[in-house]
Amino acid sequence: MTTGPQRAKQGGGVQSVERTFELLGLMADAGGEVALSELAEKSGLPLPTIHRIMRTLVGSGYVRQQPSRRYSLGPRLIRLGETASRALGAWARPYLAELTEATGETSNMAILDGTQIVYVAQVPSQHSMRMFTEVGRRVDAHATAVGKAVMATMPPDAVTQMLSRTTMHAQTERTITTIEAMHEELARIRQQGYALDDGEQEVGVRCYAVAVPGAPAGTAISISGPEGRMARISTDEVIPLMQRLARDLAAEITVSNTA
């Protein structure tokens, strides 16, 4: 039987873990580098508590202290992120394969990392002319369907804060380049249930994307192909399929995380 003091100790340990991950999440949301005062303001935790946690993270290599005394995410997180991305990609491939088989076009899974989208899985089209995005490639979120699909699930203030950290430069003449226009676009995405990249990342390429509900790190799946072929795909048919696959994938990830 677990005694009262033991339960209290276990509860305190769990609380410390929760606080540690909360602070790491806040650092990621802030672009990877923050001051202790910023963490205190955003988390509501006492400065001595934050300092103690950060000192532990610095000692283990998960956080670095800069000469300016600000804190940044450390290199040991890279290995964790790469491993998590590979696992997420492995879970996604059967669902992406079903999507590619149904549409004939390349399907992808991507996650949000800061202001960029990182592609973690792909099932290519069998067409000789097809879209190919290297797994691991990073692109600016504002110019992609997957990025917009993820941003549409975020609170507007968080979107504004995120986009304020990037120049939102134009990839093509169709790229959305202002925060105000992006908020209008995200409102349309929330209403229609999917995001569209119509030549915004690359001229002549169209992409549809939907967010994976409840998945980690802001995740979306997409199909992409030449504009001419993609124009013949019925959104009334493919979007419900993508939404169903996204829900099924989210359910599998949730089960795997709780097993």
Side-chain angles (χ1 to χ4, degrees), residues 39-94:
L39 289 176
E41 179 182 354
K42 293 180 182 298
S43 69
L45 296 174
L47 272 173
T49 299
I50 296 174
H51 187 265
R52 183 177 65 253
I53 293 173
M54 299 303 284
R55 187 170 62 244
T56 300
L57 289 171
V58 168
S60 59
Y62 293 109
V63 166
R64 298 178 63 184
Q65 186 172 20
Q66 306 293 344
S68 63
R69 303 196 64 79
R70 291 170 65 85
Y71 290 85
S72 63
L73 297 175
R76 288 199 68 183
L77 290 171
I78 296 174
R79 181 168 60 89
L80 294 179
E82 290 175 345
T83 303
S85 294
R86 286 196 297 270
L88 192 59
W91 285 326
R93 284 188 192 96

Side-chain angles (χ1 to χ4, degrees), residues 87-158:
L88 192 59
W91 285 326
R93 284 188 192 96
Y95 301 93
L96 299 182
E98 182 176 345
L99 183 56
T100 292
E101 183 177 356
T103 63
E105 301 298 343
T106 297
S107 58
N108 300 280
M109 169 179 267
I111 61 174
L112 181 67
D113 183 16
T115 62
Q116 293 189 313
I117 283 292
V118 183
Y119 290 90
V120 297
Q122 181 181 88
V123 174
S125 166
Q126 296 302 307
H127 290 291
S128 56
M129 179 184 292
R130 61 180 183 268
M131 300 302 103
F132 178 77
T133 300
E134 184 179 0
V135 171
R137 181 189 178 197
R138 293 172 173 268
V139 295
D140 292 336
H142 74 281
T144 65
V146 282
K148 292 190 292 182
V150 168
M151 285 190 287
T153 68
M154 297 166 55
D157 289 348

Side-chain angles (χ1 to χ4, degrees), residues 103 192-196 206-210 223 229-243:
T103 63
Q192 66 191 14
Y194 69 95
L196 169 66
R206 179 174 292 181
C207 178
Y208 298 117
V210 300
I223 55 169
R229 286 207 311 261
M230 292 292 289
R232 295 194 290 270
I233 293 178
S234 169
T235 55
D236 290 340
E237 295 178 2
V238 74
I239 298 305
L241 171 62
M242 294 177 69
Q243 291 170 336

Side-chain angles (χ1 to χ4, degrees), residues 142-143 167-177 200:
H142 74 281
T167 57
M168 293 186 70
H169 61 275
Q171 303 284 356
T172 74
E173 63 180 13
R174 296 182 179 179
T175 307
I176 297 173
T177 57
E200 296 161 50

